């Protein structure tokens, strides 16, 4: 049986909707991973030991286990203790927390790289420890890690395909459903790959623009 790409346009709407859900998951999980990474970094460096040790266990869990297993635990496991999350929310939480842990490692290193004199100068001016972190240290640390965090965002976009296994109608699942009706796997997986590539190019362009704006503001 030869290739027949004429079947793809009939499912263009479904693929486009799946791509839209992929973008939505990436944006929501990316925001969670960004702000969660900052919080985790501050807890890891400056939190009380009663917070640091649970965070280390949490970080070990998310860095030492497969993302797919984490999605299963959040979507199928939490319901066992009365927490019933919609599939989309479970996917966002799973992806967001997974990449928040990795972003936290980057931000911790960047915070420690900030000149100690700036911290001491801010304290001399009367800023509290929290104000110094919030207004002086963290903004500089975050600007310095935008490129590697951007790489994590691109990885997040590609890993968003995993939420298809918990029933989120994103691009991969949309392609799979089209395949189940047409029995044309190569055509639709190739179409899905093309859509991922276009979204990835748009994300990379946005990240490069953000990096230029940050570099210009220094």
């Amino acid at each position: 049986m030869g290739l027949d790409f004429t079947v793809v346009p009939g499912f263009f709407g479904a693929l486009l909707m799946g791509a839209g859900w992929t973008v939505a998951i990436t944006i929501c999980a990316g925001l969670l991973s960004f702000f969660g990474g900052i919080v985790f970094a501050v807890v890891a460096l400056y939190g009380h030991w009663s917070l640091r040790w649970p965070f280390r266990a949490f970080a070990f869990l998310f860095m030492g286990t497969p993302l797919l297993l984490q999605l299963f635990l959040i979507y199928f496991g939490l319901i066992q203790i009365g927490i019933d999350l919609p599939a989309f929310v479970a996917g966002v939480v799973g992806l967001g927390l997974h990449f928040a842990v990795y972003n936290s490692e980057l931000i911790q290193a960047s915070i420690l790289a900030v000149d100690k004199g700036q911290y001491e100068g801010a304290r001399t001016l009367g800023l509290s420890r929290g104000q110094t972190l919030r207004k002086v240290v963290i903004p500089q640390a975050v600007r310095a890690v935008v490129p590697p965090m951007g790489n994590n965002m691109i990885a997040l976009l590609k890993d968003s395909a995993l939420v298809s296994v918990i029933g989120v109608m994103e691009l991969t699942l949309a392609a799979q459903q089209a395949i189940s009706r047409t029995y044309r796997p190569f055509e639709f997986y190739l179409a899905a790959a093309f859509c991922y590539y276009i979204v990835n190019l748009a994300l990379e362009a946005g990240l490069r623009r953000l990096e230029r704006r940050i570099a210009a503001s220094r």
Side-chain angles (χ1 to χ4, degrees):
M1 183 172 63
L3 298 179
D4 182 13
F5 287 97
T6 61
V7 299
V8 174
F11 293 87
F12 180 75
L15 293 174
L16 187 62
M17 183 175 294
W21 281 112
T22 293
V23 172
I25 292 168
T26 301
I27 291 174
C28 294
L31 289 173
L32 177 59
S33 70
F34 174 75
F35 292 106
I38 294 174
V39 172
F40 291 162
V42 172
V43 169
L45 292 176
Y46 305 104
H48 190 267
W49 66 267
S50 60
L51 294 176
R52 288 201 307 271
W53 284 106
F55 168 73
R56 289 179 181 176
F58 173 85
F60 178 79
L61 172 66
F62 275 81
M63 297 182 75
T65 59
L67 175 56
L68 182 60
L69 176 61
Q70 295 162 22
L71 291 172
F72 283 151
L73 285 173
I74 292 172
Y75 185 61
F76 296 110
L78 290 182
I79 196 172
Q80 302 298 317
I81 57 174
I83 303 176
D84 187 7
L85 297 178
F88 179 84
V89 175
V92 168
V93 170
L95 286 167
L97 292 180
H98 181 85
F99 283 94
V101 172
Y102 286 94
N103 286 342
S104 169
E105 295 292 318
L106 297 173
I107 295 171
Q108 287 180 56
S110 187
I111 287 175
L112 294 175
V114 173
D115 190 348
K116 300 297 183 182
Q118 297 195 40
Y119 182 90
E120 296 170 357
R123 296 303 302 273
T124 301
L125 293 174
L127 297 181
S128 66
R129 183 181 186 183
Q131 290 174 324
T132 300
L133 289 173
R134 188 173 66 255
K135 297 181 178 181
V136 179
V137 177
I138 291 177
Q140 294 185 64
V142 169
R143 284 197 295 268
V145 295
V146 165
M149 287 179 68
N151 293 335
N152 283 347
M153 277 291 295
I154 294 172
L156 191 158
L157 167 64
K158 291 184 286 189
D159 285 347
S160 67
L162 291 175
V163 302
S164 63
V165 300
I166 59 174
V168 179
M169 185 54 69
E170 46 70 69
L171 184 54
T172 298
L173 187 55
Q176 290 173 341
Q177 290 193 349
I179 292 167
S180 69
R181 295 174 61 184
T182 62
Y183 303 101
R184 293 283 179 176
F186 184 84
E187 290 88 335
F188 281 100
Y189 281 136
L190 189 60
F194 178 76
C195 292
Y196 275 114
Y197 182 69
I198 295 301
V199 175
N200 191 37
L201 285 179
L203 177 59
E204 288 182 347
L207 290 170
R208 284 197 298 269
R209 183 176 180 181
L210 178 60
E211 290 174 19
R212 288 195 297 268
R213 292 186 63 178
I214 290 175
S217 67
R218 290 180 177 175

